[in-house]
Amino acid sequence: MPEPPENHPDRLRWNERYRAHDGGFEPHPLSSAAAVEGLPEGPVLELACGRSGSALALAAKGRMVVAVDVSDVAMADLRKRAQDKGVAELVHCVLADASEYRPADDFALVLATRYWDPSAFTIAVGAVKPGGLLGWEALAVPGEHEGALPPWHIRHGDLAALVPEGWTVLAEELIRQGHRRFSRVLARKAGPP
């Protein structure tokens, strides 16, 4: 997979953001919810992961994690933190645009948080192994929103509606954090876990 060019607009924007804020490495609640639901054997894929506390937490439990992000600053920070925590051999950082990444394996869990791209969602769904889970969270527009959606936003309920036939939606939530809203879904692909 070729790296995004140095002048890729998302790479520039996210690199600037990561340089400006140290940020934390807290695991996302979706990774914890997926663990509670039970995962089959196999690796985890996290798309648009940034400085992922979820990747670190899952690796600490023995999972191999493929962490994909467009920001080389975030990937360098994640590699260093994985090294510091002794899980570097389990966290494989891939510098790529999540909407263009093509996974070579099937995954027990595919995770994406605070991110929306329809093509990346399609990639994620296709990368989940039978019995595996998809956890996705995206910025949500208010229910009364009319007209075209702002970039990177989705209407609450659309994530669950996009989950293919034969899957089971385990949870769907609308999360409010200050003036921001997030639509979150956790779903299991049919098949033996």
Side-chain angles (χ1 to χ4, degrees), residues 15-121:
N15 278 347
E16 181 180 328
R17 190 178 220 176
Y18 286 120
R19 284 185 187 110
H21 304 287
D22 285 339
F25 286 87
E26 294 300 316
H28 192 277
L30 266 175
S31 66
S32 301
V36 168
E37 288 294 337
L39 296 173
E41 293 298 316
V44 171
L45 172 64
E46 186 173 7
L47 297 172
C49 65
R51 292 181 180 130
S52 176
S54 297
L56 297 171
L58 289 160
K61 293 178 181 177
R63 291 280 176 168
M64 195 274 284
V65 180
V66 177
V68 178
D69 200 273
V70 73
S71 169
D72 50 299
V73 172
M75 293 288 86
D77 289 349
L78 181 55
R79 273 190 212 95
K80 180 174 183 339
R81 185 59 67 102
Q83 184 73 36
D84 294 346
K85 297 228 175 242
V87 294
E89 71 282 355
L90 292 174
V91 179
H92 301 274
C93 295
V94 178
L95 182 61
D97 183 329
S99 67
E100 297 175 5
Y101 180 70
R102 300 298 179 262
D105 297 314
D106 288 335
F107 294 87
L109 169 64
V110 178
L111 184 66
T113 58
R114 298 191 174 196
Y115 174 68
W116 177 243
D117 182 282
S119 58
F121 188 85

